[in-house]
Amino acid sequence: MTSTHAFWLAGRQATGEDTFNVTSPWDGRLVGKVSVPTDAQVEEAIATAYAVREDFAATPAHVRAAALDHVSKRLAERTEEIARLISAENGKPIKWARGEVGRAVSVFRFAAEEARRFNGGEAQRLDTDPGGQGRLALTRRFPKGVVLGIAPFNFPLNLCAHKIAPAIAAGAPIILKPAPATPLSGLVIGELLAETELPAGSWSILPVSNDRMPALVQDPRLPVISFTGSEKVGYAIMDSVPRKHCTLELGGNGAAVVLGDYASDADLDWAATRIATFSNYQGGQSCISVQRVIADASVHDRLLPRVVAAVEAQVTGDPSDDKTLVGPLVSEDAAKRVEVWVREAVEAGANLLTGGKRDGASYAPTVLTDVPADTNISCEEVFGPVLTVQKVDGEAAAFAAVNDSKYGLQAGVFTHDLQAAFRAHRVLEVGGVVIGDVPSYRADQMPYGGVKQSGVGREGVKFAMEDYTYERVLVLTGLTL
C-alpha cells in the first residue's frame, strides 16, 4: 500500500479531501499518492502568507540564512534517496538526477550566502548640488510582497529550489505550485524547511491542478509571479495580470554553432560528443538543450557523421540504471507529439539520419537535416531528443541563423577565436552565450533568462532576489558630511 504524501500549508503538514496518483513515465508504476489542498486550505495559505509578509521581511538575515544552510546540508545528506525519487516520478536517468540534487544543494547554499550580504544598503551623498547640502540618501531593497512560484516538471527539485530559496533569502513569503506530474521532489523541500525556525506562513507548497492556477495568478495578495514553463502559458499569465510583476522563464530552441576554426579532429570529436549528450540529456526536455546545430561549410561534412555516431552511442533505457543516458519523456502524450512533429518534417522534405522511433513514452535520439523552415521542428521548441543540423557559409551566416528564431535563451559557439567570441556576445540575440561548449550550460548563481519569446526577467539566486524586491530610498537631513 502506497502512503499518501501530505502537502505543506503555512509550514505544517496538511491533507485535503482528494488525492491524485504520481506514476513513472518509464513503466507506469505508482510512485506515490499526493493529497490535494481544498479551496479553503489554499485560501488559508494565501491569507497567512499575506499576514506574515511584513514580519518575515524583518526577520534577521542570520535566521533566514541558517534555514537555507540547513536545507542545503540535508539535501546533500539525502542525495541518493532524492535522486531516486526524481528519477521515479520524472523518468530522468539517475545519473542526471544525482546532478540535479547537487545543483539544488548549491542553490540553497548560494541563497544562504546572499541572505547574509543582500540589502546591506547603499549610501549616496546628495550635496553634489547646493539643494542637497547636509543630506545623505540610503537605498535599501524590500520585498514586493508574497511570491507565487510556479515550477515545471523537467527539473522537479532544482527549479522548485530556484523559486523558494531566493524568496526566503530576500524575506519574501512564497507559495509554491509544483508541476502536477512531478510534485514529490518539491514536497521534499517542504520536509526540510519544516525542520527550520522560519515563521509560520512564510512558505507553503501546494500541489494543485493546473486548472486551479488562474485563481492563484489573479489573487491580489500575490503581487509577484515567478513562472517557468511554456511560452503559451507564461504569456497568458502575464496578459491576465498586467499590473503584477512577472518573471517568465520560457522556452527555447537552443543553437550550437561550430565555426570554421574549430577544425581539428579533436575539436570536432569534442563538439559532436557535447552536442549529442546535451540534445538528449533530459530526454531533450530542457529549454537549453541543443535543438539546432549550425555548422560552417568548411567543417560540416566532417562534423555531421561524428554527431550521428555520438547520438547513436547514447545509452537509452531504464532511468534507474547507472548506464542510462536517455530515459523516457514525461508522458506518452509528450512522446507522441514529438513523433508527429518529426513525421511532419520528414514528409515536408527533411532527411532522417537516425532515430525517429517511439516506444511508449520513450523516443529514440534523432538527427534531421534539410528541415524546412516552416515546420514545427525548425521553428518551435521540440522539448524532446531531436536535433537538426544546418550548413552555413561563414560566421555572419551562422549568427544570422541563430537569430532567425522567435526564441532567444542561450546559444553555444564552438570557436578558438577570441574576437569571434566577443562578436557572438555582441550579435546573438540571446540571454547567454557559451563559448567552446553547448548552450546547455547553466551555473545556478549566474543570471539566467532570455529575450524575445524566451521570457522576461532573470533567475539565478541574487538576480531573482532583485526581481522579488524593490528599492526604497531614505533621505537623511541635517548632516555634516
Side-chain angles (χ1 to χ4, degrees):
M1 179 75 67
T2 301
S3 61
T4 297
H5 294 259
F7 54 87
W8 294 93
L9 172 58
R12 71 179 192 279
Q13 279 192 312
T15 56
E17 297 171 356
D18 298 320
T19 63
F20 66 92
N21 293 339
V22 178
T23 59
S24 165
W26 168 246
D27 56 15
R29 67 183 174 86
L30 180 64
V31 179
K33 291 180 176 290
V34 176
S35 186
V36 181
T38 65
D39 289 344
Q41 289 170 321
V42 171
E43 167 58 28
E44 181 184 348
I46 296 172
T48 308
Y50 186 76
V52 80
R53 70 194 188 284
E54 294 181 2
D55 288 342
F56 189 46
T59 301
H62 71 86
V63 174
R64 288 179 274 118
L68 294 162
D69 272 330
H70 174 82
V71 175
S72 178
K73 177 183 176 182
R74 294 285 286 130
L75 284 170
E77 291 171 350
R78 296 174 60 180
T79 292
E80 187 65 18
E81 169 203 346
I82 297 171
R84 293 286 171 186
L85 181 63
I86 292 170
S87 183
E89 70 171 344
N90 173 274
K92 181 174 299 191
I94 189 63
K95 166 189 171 74
W96 302 116
R98 292 187 185 111
E100 181 173 347
V101 179
R103 288 181 60 188
V105 169
S106 295
V107 168
F108 278 95
R109 186 182 74 250
F110 295 144
E113 294 166 356
E114 291 295 342
R116 292 183 172 97
R117 61 177 169 242
F118 186 77
N119 198 26
E122 178 180 340
Q124 182 180 20
R125 63 185 307 159
L126 301 178
D127 62 355
T128 51
D129 288 316
Q133 187 168 337
R135 296 176 187 267
L136 180 74
L138 180 66
T139 303
R140 296 167 61 197
R141 300 190 70 89
F142 293 87
K144 294 172 179 173
V146 183
V147 177
L148 171 61
I150 304 171
F153 68 82
N154 56 330
F155 289 85
L157 180 74
N158 196 43
L159 292 183
C160 288
H162 268 287
K163 308 301 181 190
I164 291 175
I168 291 173
I174 181 165
I175 293 174
L176 176 75
K177 178 198 172 302
T182 57
L184 301 177
S185 302
L187 292 173
V188 168
I189 296 177
E191 291 180 32
L192 307 184
L193 286 172
E195 298 170 354
T196 72
E197 297 180 0
L198 292 176
S202 58
W203 60 274
S204 292
I205 302 176
L206 306 179
V208 299
S209 59
N210 288 339
D211 60 4
R212 297 172 67 187
M213 189 166 66
L216 287 169
V217 167
Q218 293 290 332
D219 196 295
R221 294 166 294 180
L222 307 176
V224 179
I225 298 173
S226 177
F227 171 85
T228 302
S230 73
E231 166 199 354
K232 178 180 177 181
V233 176
Y235 283 119
I237 288 172
M238 177 175 278
D239 291 344
S240 72
V241 285
R243 290 177 177 81
K244 288 194 177 191
H245 179 88
C246 295
T247 297
L248 306 179
E249 199 279 280
L250 307 178
N253 55 1
V257 175
V258 184
L259 293 180
D261 71 290
Y262 216 78
S264 72
D265 287 342
D267 284 343
L268 296 178
D269 287 343
W270 164 257
T273 298
R274 299 295 285 176
I275 287 166
T277 299
F278 288 96
S279 65
N280 298 290
Y281 74 121
Q282 311 284 339
Q285 298 170 122
S286 168
C287 46
I288 47 175
S289 67
V290 181
Q291 182 172 327
R292 298 181 293 152
V293 179
I294 300 166
D296 186 87
S298 63
V299 297
H300 172 276
D301 292 350
R302 295 167 56 217
L303 175 68
L304 181 58
R306 286 175 161 89
V307 168
V308 172
V311 168
E312 291 178 340
Q314 297 292 301
V315 179
T316 62
D318 185 346
S320 67
D321 190 328
D322 284 352
K323 298 184 182 67
T324 298
L325 298 176
V326 186
L329 277 68
V330 72
S331 68
E332 187 168 356
D333 284 346
K336 286 180 177 178
R337 178 190 53 77
V338 174
E339 180 181 39
V340 168
W341 284 16
V342 171
R343 184 188 308 126
E344 289 173 348
V346 171
E347 290 173 351
N351 292 317
L352 176 64
L353 302 188
T354 191
K357 298 178 181 178
R358 182 182 65 83
D359 181 9
S362 296
Y363 196 82
T366 297
V367 180
L368 298 163
T369 60
D370 302 315
V371 179
D374 59 351
T375 59
N376 283 318
I377 289 288
S378 181
C379 57
E380 300 293 339
E381 181 180 39
V382 177
F383 226 58
V386 178
L387 66 86
T388 67
V389 183
Q390 175 184 359
K391 183 191 294 188
V392 296
D393 289 313
E395 177 190 300
F399 293 170
V402 174
N403 289 341
D404 186 20
S405 170
K406 66 180 181 179
Y407 298 112
L409 192 48
Q410 292 198 161
V413 181
F414 289 91
T415 183
H416 297 296
D417 185 340
L418 184 60
Q419 293 298 324
F422 277 98
R423 286 192 294 270
H425 193 218
R426 183 180 67 249
V427 171
L428 295 181
E429 299 167 350
V430 294
V433 178
V434 182
I435 302 299
D437 207 348
V438 291
S440 315
Y441 175 77
R442 176 182 180 183
D444 292 286
Q445 72 270 40
M446 76 182 192
Y448 175 77
V451 297
K452 299 193 280 191
Q453 293 188 44
S454 286
V456 294
R458 291 294 180 268
E459 291 190 345
V461 176
K462 172 187 173 183
F463 305 93
M465 291 170 69
E466 292 176 350
D467 237 11
Y468 295 166
T469 57
Y470 69 97
E471 293 175 318
R472 186 186 299 166
V473 178
L474 174 69
V475 177
L476 301 173
T477 304
L479 303 178
T480 301
L481 299 177

